[in-house]
Amino acid sequence: MIVLLGVLVVVLGFATKRNPLLVVGVAGIATGLLGGLSPGKVLAAFGEGFAGSRAVTIFAITLPVIGLLEHYGLQEQARNLIARFGRLTTGRFLALYLGLRQLGAAVGLTNVFGHAQTVRPLAVPMAEGAAERKYGALPDRTREKVRSFSASADNIGLFFGEDVFLAVGSILLITGFVNTTYGTHLEPLHLALWAIPTAVCAFVVHGWRLLRLDRQLERDLLTADVQPGPAVEAAQ
């Protein structure tokens, strides 16, 4: 039972808002030592865990690459690209992104899109650029709203799209648990097929919310007396 004191370390660390990585590391060391492991074996266990989950540290390569791309004008080019499509509003662009994210996740391409590699450097600048083309400079409150809807498009597209893919971890976990516990023979294909109606409903509901975003932006920006952008001035 004394080994469970490592869990207490985690609870106290998170309750006092300490660094999560430090809390988990200290809890792991404490659990190993209380369990009778030598310092060398504790270090070896950390090494084996790191080597067994190397994919988790892929951000160490991804983030510097994205930082370099942004330094050399990735976001500016994204804004320039969206400016060429006059009929593509913020809501329409995000609805399109939602569909692409959901389709990609449905065929197993869960890492093609994402917050770090797509939403922040590409989707957000393009969504903001579409709004700026029509309304000019955006207030901070409106800019944060656009960013939150951009993040939600990625989250919902991934969450409801990946369940359609046969080999996703959640599908395999459910089938394995049900077959083992209840003695059934549930195939991953059955769950994937039943996930399609849910994915379609999620796309329709959130796609409608994204399209309504254009009306919300228009109402918010007109009441805020924001100066019209160049496109609006030229039209007038």
Side-chain angles (χ1 to χ4, degrees), residues 6-126:
V7 179
L8 180 61
V9 174
V10 174
V11 173
L12 294 177
F14 287 153
T16 55
K17 299 182 179 180
R18 303 296 181 183
N19 186 292
L21 182 60
L22 178 62
V23 171
V24 174
V26 171
I29 295 174
T31 302
L33 295 177
L34 293 174
L37 297 178
S38 65
K41 290 185 177 180
V42 172
L43 183 60
F46 272 95
E48 292 176 1
F50 178 81
S53 57
R54 291 187 295 272
V56 178
T57 61
I58 194 65
F59 72 90
I61 299 176
T62 305
L63 293 183
V65 171
I66 294 175
L68 286 174
L69 292 174
E70 290 188 1
H71 177 73
Y72 287 101
L74 177 63
Q75 292 193 1
E76 287 74 11
Q77 292 301 321
R79 294 175 186 272
N80 294 335
L81 177 63
I82 199 68
R84 300 177 183 177
F85 300 94
R87 298 181 61 86
L88 194 60
T89 62
T90 300
R92 292 173 183 174
F93 167 73
L94 292 180
L96 177 62
Y97 180 83
L98 171 65
L100 294 176
R101 180 55 160 153
Q102 202 166 33
L103 289 175
V107 296
L109 302 177
T110 57
N111 294 323
V112 173
F113 299 92
H115 289 279
Q117 62 267 38
T118 306
V119 175
R120 183 185 185 278
L122 289 175
V124 167
M126 296 179 77

Side-chain angles (χ1 to χ4, degrees), residues 171-186 191:
I171 295 292
L172 299 178
L173 176 63
I174 293 172
T175 54
F177 175 79
V178 172
N179 292 337
T180 303
T181 305
Y182 301 104
T184 60
H185 186 65
L186 183 64
L191 290 179

Side-chain angles (χ1 to χ4, degrees), residues 156-219:
I156 293 178
L158 173 63
F159 185 85
F160 290 97
E162 65 177 357
D163 287 341
V164 182
F165 185 55
L166 296 177
V168 72
S170 59
I171 295 292
L172 299 178
L173 176 63
I174 293 172
T175 54
F177 175 79
V178 172
N179 292 337
T180 303
T181 305
Y182 301 104
T184 60
H185 186 65
L186 183 64
E187 294 291 340
L189 179 60
H190 299 158
L191 290 179
L193 291 177
W194 279 105
I196 294 177
T198 306
V200 173
C201 290
F203 176 78
V204 172
V205 172
H206 196 58
W208 176 73
R209 294 184 68 242
L210 293 173
L211 294 177
R212 287 184 65 246
L213 177 62
D214 291 328
R215 301 177 63 180
Q216 295 178 16
L217 293 178
E218 183 176 3
R219 182 177 63 251

